[in-house]
Structures are given as C-alpha cells and as structure tokens.
Amino acid sequence: MHHILLLGGTTEASALARLLGAQGISATLSYAGRTENPRPQPVPCRIGGFGGVEGLVAYLREHRVTHLVDATHPFAARMSAHAAAAARIAGVPFVALTRPAWRMEQGDNWTGVAGIEEAVAALAGPPRRVLLALGRMHVDAFAAQPQHHYLLRFVDAPDAPPLLPDHHLVVDRGPFSVAGDRALLCDHAIDLVVSKNAGGTGAQAKLIAARELGLPVLMIERPAMPDRRELFRPEEVLDWIAHTPATERGV
Ligand code: 3Y8
Ligand code: NAP
C-alpha cells in the first residue's frame, strides 16, 4: 500500500496531486506555510516545517511514507537538501519533480547574476523603474539600492510596508498572463525586470512581455541542488511510483 509525501508549492506539484487524487493513490501534499491561503488540493495537505532533516526522517517513519517526491520550487534549496538527506537516512525511494531552467531566446536581453546579493549589486547606478518579481522573502535586501522606483508583486499583503522608499506594491498570485504582465510593465513604465530563473510557465509571462517590449532582464540563477534523480512531467512520477516497490517500512 503506497503512501506518497509530495513536497509542494509549485504548478507541477499541484498537477501531480491532481493525478494522484484521480488515481486514488494515498498522498499528502506538504506546504511550508509561506502564504495565507494556499491553493486547495485534491489530496490531504499538511502545512509547516518538519523541523530539519531529523524532523522529516521522523515524519517519513511515523507516517509510513513509501515514496518521497520533492516538487518544491528550484529556489527552495534548503528543503530540497533536507529531502534528499532524509530519504537516504530513512531508506525511502526519492525523486524530484522539477522544470528546466529558462534559456535566453531570440529577442531576449538578459544579464545573468549568481544570486540575490549579486542582483542587488548589479542595480548600482542612476535611478531606474524596476519590476522586482521575486516575492516577499528577499525584498528588503534591495534597500541597499534605494534610488530606484520598485514595482513589487507579493502573494499576500505584507505585515509591514517594505523598506524601499520608492515602491508600488501589487498583491497577486500566479500563474500570470503575458497580456497582464505586458500591461503591468507598460502602466508602470518599467525599464528593467528582475527575475529568478524559476523555469516552468507560472512565472514566465513577465519574461515574454519584457521580450516583446524590448526590456532588459536581470536573471538570478538557481542555487545548487543536491545530486538526485529529476523528472520533469507529473506523468513520469506516476510511472516511477508504479515501478518502484515500497520498501519494507519501519525497518
Ligand atoms: C506557498 C502556494 C500552484 C503553484 C503556483 C510556480 C508558479 C504561481 C509564479 C512573479 C513571480 C515567486 C513566488 C511565484 C510563482 C507559482 C506557484 C509561483 C513567483 C505559491 C504558494 C506558495 C508560494 C510561496 C512563494 C514565495 C515566493 C514565490 C511568489 C499557494 C502561490 C516570486 C517565485 O509572500 C511570500 O512569502 C511568498 C514566498 C516563496 C518567493 C519569495 O522568495 O518570496 N512563492 N507561492 C508554498 C508553501 O507554503 O509551501 O499559496 O497556493 C505557489 C506558486 N507561486 O499550485 O498553482 O509553479 O512557480 N511564487 C519565483 O518564481 O520567482 C512569482 O511575481 O512574477
Ligand atoms: P526553503 O528555503 O528551501 O526551506 C526553508 C524551510 O522551510 C525548510 O527547511 C522547511 O523547514 C520549510 N519548508 C520549505 N518547503 C516546505 C514544504 N513544501 N513543506 C514543509 N516545509 C517546507 O524553502 P522556500 O524557498 O522558503 O520555499 C517555501 C515553499 O514555497 C516551498 O514549498 C516552495 O516550493 C514554495 N515556493 C518557493 C519559491 C521560491 O522562490 N523560493 C517559489 C514558489 C514556491 P524545516 O527545516 O523545519 O523542515
């Protein structure tokens, strides 16, 4: 009898949850609890951290998890590192469900930077009008470059106003549309887009709109991920589950 723990928070995780629910495969989708109203799911959900690797190992054993699927966002590096370690310790079959990084296409004008700090440093210089579509968790780092006008997009309204002196906040959740993001860039006279290389389709609209409008993009590259097997389609994960026998639990 299978029981899948699915680490979620992405479009692909939700697509896999729909497949698991439709096939009646026992699964739990896990959220960190970063947003106020996470999308309802067709399988039971749990919300909140596990308490590090040890906490996740204990969870895998207590809930007799037979397969662990890491379908978290490519920037959720800490969760992914914990998942790989805990699966190995607990002897639970493990796979990642992720998406390829975006690559520059004809008409794109990208400057790649290694991380958030490098993106902040790259914004030194005269005032610009910047779409900072990185969510809420890293926004305060950009207070080091207060000269710009920042257009911010958060999933939820923040408890306190962001530390940026000149900003406009949009509260909205993806997936976003090209028409919507193109209108946003035009209405706010944006001249630079800052983006994580999230991959997938949910966050891609701003890049396509930037290409159409001839705007430059500061692209933040992904953090390193542990060595692991990676699949790119939810159907491939179903197939993996079907062909990966559940090891004896609790031994
Ligand atoms: C809590 C679950 C689904 C999943 C949808 C995807 C697409 C829409 C686009 C922009 C970029 C950003 C951000 C983004 C997108 C999907 C996906 C994706 C980017 C929810 C969700 C959770 C989160 C957490 C949130 C972070 C933030 C990042 C906003 C739910 C809606 C910027 C990443 O306010 C906060 O603290 C938000 C934090 C982590 C990154 C950050 O550093 O701020 N995602 N996003 C998950 C949990 O608790 O475990 O509320 O339903 C999920 C989705 N957001 O099921 O349809 O697959 O990536 N999420 C980025 O890519 O740069 C927005 O604005 O253009
Ligand atoms: P992170 O930095 O890699 O993880 C920090 C800690 O949050 C983890 O150690 C774990 O706590 C907890 N955690 C993270 N994801 C979890 C999950 N799915 N279920 C239970 N606990 C989780 O993660 P993050 O970047 O904050 O991302 C948090 C969530 O938002 C993830 O589900 C991710 O898929 C989603 N998300 C993130 C981004 C992004 O840009 N980072 C974008 C879209 C969606 P413990 O150590 O206590 O177990």
Side-chain angles (χ1 to χ4, degrees), residues 7 29-34 45-51 56 59 79:
L7 305 177
L29 186 142
S30 179
Y31 282 122
R34 286 269 183 284
C45 289
R46 65 170 295 287
I47 297 184
F50 293 96
L56 181 50
Y59 182 95
M79 186 69 256

Side-chain angles (χ1 to χ4, degrees), residues 17 64 129 139 194 196:
R64 306 179 74 75
R129 296 181 62 83
V139 70
V194 183
K196 290 177 184 168

